[in-house]
Amino acid sequence: MIKILLVDDHRLVQDGIASILDQTEGISICGKCASGEEAVGLVRSLSPHVVLMDIVMKGMTGIEATRWIKDMDSAVKVILISTEVKKEFVSAGIKSGIDGYIPKDVTKDILVEAIHKVFNGERYFTDAITKLIFEDFYLTEKGGKKRDHQITKELTERENEILELVAQGIGNKEISERLFISVRTVETHKTHILDKLGLKNATELIKYAIKHNIISMD
């Protein structure tokens, strides 16, 4: 029996998916919630096999919640379900470790197929999403390799991303939107970055970034 955790802040969508899956042999709904924060907690307590995760929710996004879930237990499979097929959502989702991505307007057969495939260790993307991934890869290859980013070994990969964005003068809200994390999470990361590097404020951080070629003045 495949245990499913449903995460969606729209009750009608949540109930609709639950109604479909309740009638599907070999699949059971072990829990439902309406936020990323709740999802992280329920994964700990319910140990679902697959999480069906909405992306845009109040507070923690589905993409940020996926990152937390994968850090806790990489064996838990996560399928993002979205009303929109957007390149930035797909890209951020892949970076966070998702196992699949499907639009909310898919048929029951596709939904069930996606669940079974990720449960069995495969990844599942619809044709439209696969096309987006390929186009992005093609354009990157055609345009040549992007500049290699300088990294600071004392920091995590996420902290390095935020360090570069902060050093470019980008505000917390825009960083949160770009990385699909909450503003509070951005602030927490910034505090950790300053502590790890022994810096006092954003001005010192920018000087550090210039000195270590993390950003360029060209």
Side-chain angles (χ1 to χ4, degrees), residues 93-104:
I94 290 171
K95 289 178 181 177
S96 71
I98 60 170
D99 301 278
Y101 188 122
I102 57 177
K104 287 184 178 177

Side-chain angles (χ1 to χ4, degrees), residues 49-50 75 77 99 114-124:
H49 297 118
V50 179
K77 310 300 183 183
D99 301 278
I115 290 170
H116 279 285
K117 288 212 170 185
V118 302
F119 176 72
N120 289 316
E122 299 179 51
R123 300 196 185 280
Y124 190 93

Side-chain angles (χ1 to χ4, degrees), residues 137-153:
F137 171 80
Y138 175 78
L139 290 172
T140 300
E141 290 298 306
K142 185 178 179 182
K145 293 183 179 179
K146 296 180 181 179
R147 172 179 78 87
D148 289 332
H149 294 289
Q150 296 292 323
I151 62 167
T152 302
K153 292 181 180 179

Side-chain angles (χ1 to χ4, degrees), residues 57-109:
M57 298 179 285
K58 292 181 180 178
M60 185 184 289
T61 67
I63 290 171
E64 186 177 1
T66 298
R67 205 173 283 118
W68 278 93
I69 289 168
K70 288 293 187 177
D71 283 345
M72 283 193 304
D73 185 353
S74 60
V76 177
K77 310 300 183 183
V78 180
I79 300 174
L80 292 183
I81 304 184
S82 174
T83 53
E84 297 180 89
V85 176
K86 297 176 70 174
K87 187 177 292 185
E88 52 265 42
F89 285 173
V90 177
S91 177
I94 290 171
K95 289 178 181 177
S96 71
I98 60 170
D99 301 278
Y101 188 122
I102 57 177
K104 287 184 178 177
D105 61 358
V106 296
T107 64
K108 171 188 174 181
D109 288 345

Side-chain angles (χ1 to χ4, degrees), residues 119-137:
F119 176 72
N120 289 316
E122 299 179 51
R123 300 196 185 280
Y124 190 93
F125 299 96
T126 59
D127 290 343
I129 293 166
T130 301
K131 183 180 177 183
L132 266 183
I133 296 168
F134 174 77
E135 286 177 348
D136 191 46
F137 171 80

Side-chain angles (χ1 to χ4, degrees), residues 163 193-201 204-206 208:
L163 168 60
I193 291 167
L194 292 174
D195 287 344
K196 286 181 178 180
L197 299 181
L199 305 175
K200 296 178 182 178
N201 51 45
E204 289 190 1
L205 189 149
I206 292 171
Y208 177 94

